[in-house]
Amino acid sequence: MNNLKTMVLSVIAVWIIKILSFTHKINYFGLENVEFIKKQNKNIVFVFWHGRQFILVNSHKNRGICIMASLSKDGDLQAKILTKLGYFIVRGSSSKGGAQALVEMIRAMRDGRDVAFAGDGPRGPIYELKPGPIYLAQKTQSAIIPVAVSAQDKWINR
């Protein structure tokens, strides 16, 4: 995907995300846990399931949360979209560049950023936690907060 195409698609995607965000109401549960951890000046490793983050992208925007995006062309687009929504991006994945990306995430956390991971990784198996988030939390002495999204009324395109 060339740079111009990626830039245009990222702008369109950000607008779609913002427009769709007006169509749902979000109820947060457990925010007191986040507040408790932040009062202790600790960082957080947010963990969500792969493919279940669409609503989270908008609900957690502009917080400077560090997210890993793959080195693929799709990852280029994802990185542009997430950057426009106020995320800090490191590039890599479990299959390519993951060790360097993990080092960059550790640096980001030492600089005071929280991070977010798809706990089951891009290759699955789905809903099976991989060791990356646990390793990162142990290495940085941070807390892990699982994050989940559920919709009462939804439309699923299969």
Side-chain angles (χ1 to χ4, degrees), residues 14 29 38 61 81-82 84 106 131 148-149:
V14 167
F29 299 95
K38 295 315 272 178
K61 69 182 179 197
I81 293 166
L82 292 172
K84 289 178 187 329
I106 291 169
V149 175

Side-chain angles (χ1 to χ4, degrees), residues 54-67:
F54 182 76
I55 292 173
L56 297 172
V57 167
N58 192 64
S59 67
H60 288 72
K61 69 182 179 197
N62 297 321
R63 297 182 189 181
I65 296 172
C66 180
I67 296 180

